[in-house]
Amino acid sequence: MAVCARLCGVGPSRGCRRRQPRGGPAEAAAADSEPDTDPEEERIEAGAAAAAGAPGGRGAGPQSAARCSLLELPPELLVEIFASLPGTDLPSLARVCTRFRRILHTDTIWRRRCREEYGVCENLRKLDITGVSCRDVYAKLLHRYRHILGLWQPDIGPYGGLLNVVVDGLFIIGWMYLPPHDPHVDDPMRFKPLFRVHLMERKSATVECMYGHRGPHNGHIQIVKKDEFSTKCNQTDHHRMSGGRQEEFRTWLREEWGRTLEDIFHEHMQELILMKFIYTSQYDNCLTYRRIYLPPSHPDDLIRPGLFKGTYGSHGLEIVMLSFHGKRARGTKITGDPNIPAGQQTVEIDLRHRIQLPDVESLRNFSELSRLVLDVRERLRQEQQQESGLEDGGAGGRQSPREPQQGPAQPGAELPAEKVGEAGGAEAAGAQPGQGQPFVLPVGVSSRNEDYPRTCRMCFYGTGLIAGHGFTSPERTPGVFILFDEDRFGFIWLELKSFSLYSRVQATFRNAEAPSPQAFEEMLKNIQSLTS
């Protein structure tokens, strides 16, 4: 009734008795044209002159009514007004009267909604050739599948993945993002389509599976619940190749690694690659996806958070999400491996404990770097004991040196002033960074990519997660977080004597912002719980 009162100038006590059932744009778009005469519209027009102008619909003359009634406006002006409203509001207009319903059949209105709400920049006029209207595109394609737009993580066991569902012209396409070929971490991301949705005819949208090498074929999408949907291929024979599994494996290997099996001499790496192919290919693009958000940004963040590509030894390149949480930073795996699966927190950085690296010649000595880092870890352990003793009245609270990942009990605490600059090189995180200092990896530390930066801005104490195959016996071990620049950082895993280099994913993702910081934190917990 409130909609009628605003649009027609008729209050609930006068003339208009039409109910306002709820509905979506699809219902408004599917409404058929009504006869030109509508008794209810005649009542609205007859009552508008007496009703408009004063509360309750009294005390206005015919001239005042003409100024206040939308029904008196010319159709072209109504088209402009309706086109400026959100598409979700238009079904209410369609139920006001027959005239509004007829006007809402104007494609100009829906063309503008497609462009402003979903970024469709195609020339939608060419749809006339196929008999599909902009109204059909909005209601049966864009609005219907709006809930799957954004970033998603597929449930592929420990491997995970990154899916970006976007409106691409007159299609909705699910693009799987893949890291560049190992070890070229600075190369751009690769991507391939897994499915697409488009409108072939006026009846309903068509879902097609794009997996395999035999072109689009029949598929299905089901929205399971909020922030979760699944895909299914109905013609998995299109995924098979004439040369059998051997040909499928060689084709997958060229796409995934950019090489043949003969080019990979490391036997352990060959086993990991074959294992991944067998595991991932069994899904046949029948997957469940869970929504992920990009991390929120704050002015005091060390660098801009986001997605990064990182080197992980024989596992190749993986995608990691860097986020900031007060005085700590976390790297969460979006893609993973059999040792540390997707969803787990691969590194944690303590931004309160900065490490001042020695000169280049001393840095080449692994023992010197190890001494600096272990000194910081010991200090953290002592602080934990002191704080635990204060909380427990001096009884209990002792922690093992194997648990450095928890850090001090008070996340906002700063190092005491007397400890800044002590042996071990720890500094307050708030210290002003210099212009950069020379950096070189210590002798004996392995790296998949020798083309790492030779200067760094600053370094911090951190811990990295390591585990056996199948995520057995996971533990956090000390390491060094090295910030090179705004788009690159590294991590030295002391126990593994290994170095990982991370480079920012230079891509723009729409519909990926978290609605709130709490929603982002909840998302991190959810994806981690799936593989814990």
Side-chain angles (χ1 to χ4, degrees):
M1 294 304 293
V3 175
C4 278
R6 289 197 301 271
L7 295 176
C8 309
V10 180
S13 62
R14 306 278 298 188
C16 184
R17 300 180 178 85
R18 187 170 184 85
R19 287 183 173 272
Q20 297 293 319
R22 298 182 63 182
E27 296 179 48
D32 296 325
S33 300
E34 298 289 338
D36 291 341
T37 60
D38 184 350
E40 183 169 354
E41 183 177 345
E42 293 175 358
R43 289 197 301 271
I44 293 174
E45 293 175 341
R58 293 185 176 88
Q63 293 182 353
S64 176
R67 288 195 300 270
C68 296
S69 176
L70 281 175
L71 291 169
E72 297 298 325
L73 296 178
E76 59 271 16
L77 186 54
L78 288 176
V79 167
E80 287 299 316
I81 294 173
F82 294 171
S84 66
L85 298 175
T88 51
D89 290 348
L90 298 182
S92 299
L93 287 176
R95 293 180 177 84
V96 170
C97 59
T98 300
R99 186 181 185 215
F100 286 1
R101 185 181 295 119
R102 288 200 306 270
I103 291 174
L104 285 170
H105 278 251
T106 305
D107 243 23
T108 305
I109 297 173
W110 300 99
R111 184 179 299 116
R112 181 171 170 183
R113 299 322 318 145
C114 290
R115 182 180 68 252
E116 293 186 359
E117 294 182 26
Y118 296 100
V120 178
C121 300
E122 295 279 330
N123 182 6
L124 296 176
R125 291 184 177 85
K126 65 185 182 182
L127 289 174
D128 297 338
I129 303 175
T130 62
V132 178
S133 66
C134 297
R135 187 164 48 101
D136 294 327
V137 172
Y138 183 95
K140 299 177 180 179
L141 177 65
L142 302 178
H143 182 76
R144 179 180 178 186
Y145 288 96
R146 69 192 184 281
H147 295 301
I148 70 171
L149 299 177
L151 286 179
W152 304 83
Q153 186 183 51
D155 184 7
I156 315 180
Y159 298 103
L162 180 65
L163 180 81
N164 187 27
V165 184
V166 299
V167 176
D168 189 349
L170 300 178
F171 294 83
I172 290 178
I173 302 181
W175 295 99
M176 180 68 86
Y177 274 68
L178 305 170
H181 293 138
D182 180 65
H184 308 292
V185 69
D186 287 324
D187 286 357
M189 295 282 285
R190 300 172 296 125
F191 45 88
K192 63 179 182 180
L194 290 191
F195 63 84
R196 70 180 186 182
V197 189
H198 61 117
L199 208 60
M200 296 289 292
E201 53 187 22
R202 295 190 61 182
K203 292 181 180 179
S204 61
T206 300
V207 178
E208 293 178 326
C209 175
M210 304 290 289
Y211 190 78
H213 301 270
R214 295 170 60 181
H217 46 284
N218 186 260
H220 175 72
I221 290 177
Q222 180 182 2
I223 299 178
V224 180
K225 58 183 179 181
K226 185 178 183 297
D227 296 334
E228 184 176 322
F229 77 96
S230 62
T231 59
K232 180 182 179 182
C233 176
N234 295 328
Q235 294 177 288
T236 55
D237 57 298
H238 280 63
H239 305 169
R240 308 282 79 84
M241 302 185 75
S242 58
R245 293 289 279 176
Q246 186 174 6
E247 182 183 0
E248 293 171 16
F249 172 65
R250 291 187 176 275
T251 302
W252 175 86
L253 186 59
R254 285 194 300 270
E255 294 176 350
E256 187 83 6
W257 291 81
R259 62 184 80 175
T260 65
L261 197 61
E262 290 76 16
D263 297 330
I264 303 173
F265 301 104
H266 198 290
E267 184 176 350
H268 179 57
M269 181 179 288
Q270 290 181 350
E271 294 175 354
L272 292 173
I273 290 173
L274 184 59
M275 184 188 310
K276 184 174 182 179
F277 168 74
I278 294 173
Y279 192 98
T280 57
S281 61
Q282 66 180 335
Y283 285 88
D284 268 335
N285 208 24
C286 300
L287 297 168
T288 297
Y289 300 86
R290 295 174 178 84
R291 184 179 296 279
I292 60 175
Y293 299 114
L294 293 179
S297 178
H298 305 284
D300 57 346
D301 288 340
L302 189 64
I303 58 173
R304 179 166 53 91
L307 297 175
F308 289 78
K309 304 154 287 182
T311 57
Y312 279 88
S314 300
H315 298 292
L317 300 187
E318 299 182 11
I319 303 174
V320 170
M321 177 184 291
L322 179 68
S323 57
F324 292 90
H325 310 262
K327 295 297 183 180
R328 294 184 183 277
R330 298 172 184 167
T332 303
K333 280 194 170 187
I334 302 302
T335 63
D337 53 68
N339 290 77
I340 307 298
Q344 291 298 316
Q345 185 180 310
T346 176
V347 294
E348 182 177 61
I349 304 99
D350 190 335
L351 299 176
R352 294 164 301 180
H353 292 82
R354 186 174 167 190
I355 294 178
Q356 184 66 40
L357 296 179
D359 59 81
V360 172
E361 290 305 317
S362 298
L363 184 58
R364 294 182 186 276
N365 186 342
F366 178 80
S367 298
E368 176 65 16
L369 177 65
S370 179
R371 182 187 67 81
L372 293 174
V373 176
L374 295 180
D375 282 349
V376 177
R377 184 179 72 163
E378 177 62 22
R379 186 177 301 118
L380 285 171
R381 187 186 67 83
Q382 293 174 3
E383 291 173 359
Q384 287 177 332
Q385 288 181 341
Q386 293 173 2
E387 293 171 357
S388 180
L390 291 174
E391 292 175 359
D392 300 339
R398 185 174 181 86
Q399 289 182 301
S400 168
R402 293 174 63 86
E403 297 178 344
Q405 73 275 17
Q406 296 181 8
Q410 300 297 327
E414 295 288 343
L415 277 176
E418 64 269 21
K419 291 193 176 181
V420 177
E422 284 185 358
E427 295 183 5
Q432 293 296 323
Q435 297 299 316
Q437 66 179 103
F439 174 81
V440 65
L441 285 177
V443 176
V445 174
S446 63
S447 173
R448 294 287 297 171
N449 193 331
E450 294 299 329
D451 188 23
Y452 59 87
R454 291 311 195 264
T455 59
C456 66
R457 290 183 183 176
M458 59 184 77
C459 301
F460 295 91
Y461 175 81
T463 58
L465 183 63
I466 64 174
H469 187 84
F471 197 41
T472 55
S473 304
E475 64 172 322
R476 292 204 167 276
T477 61
V480 184
F481 172 86
I482 307 107
L483 178 62
F484 294 114
D485 52 45
E486 177 68 21
D487 297 323
R488 289 178 297 179
F489 66 87
F491 192 84
I492 297 178
W493 312 71
L494 285 189
E495 184 166 326
L496 302 179
K497 286 192 175 182
S498 177
F499 171 73
S500 292
L501 177 64
Y502 301 82
S503 178
R504 186 181 299 277
V505 173
Q506 302 288 357
T508 301
F509 300 104
R510 296 187 60 184
N511 304 295
E513 298 78 17
S516 67
Q518 294 75 17
F520 176 76
E521 295 289 345
E522 189 65 26
M523 180 272 297
L524 286 183
K525 293 179 183 177
N526 289 339
I527 64 174
Q528 184 175 8
S529 65
L530 295 174
T531 55
S532 295

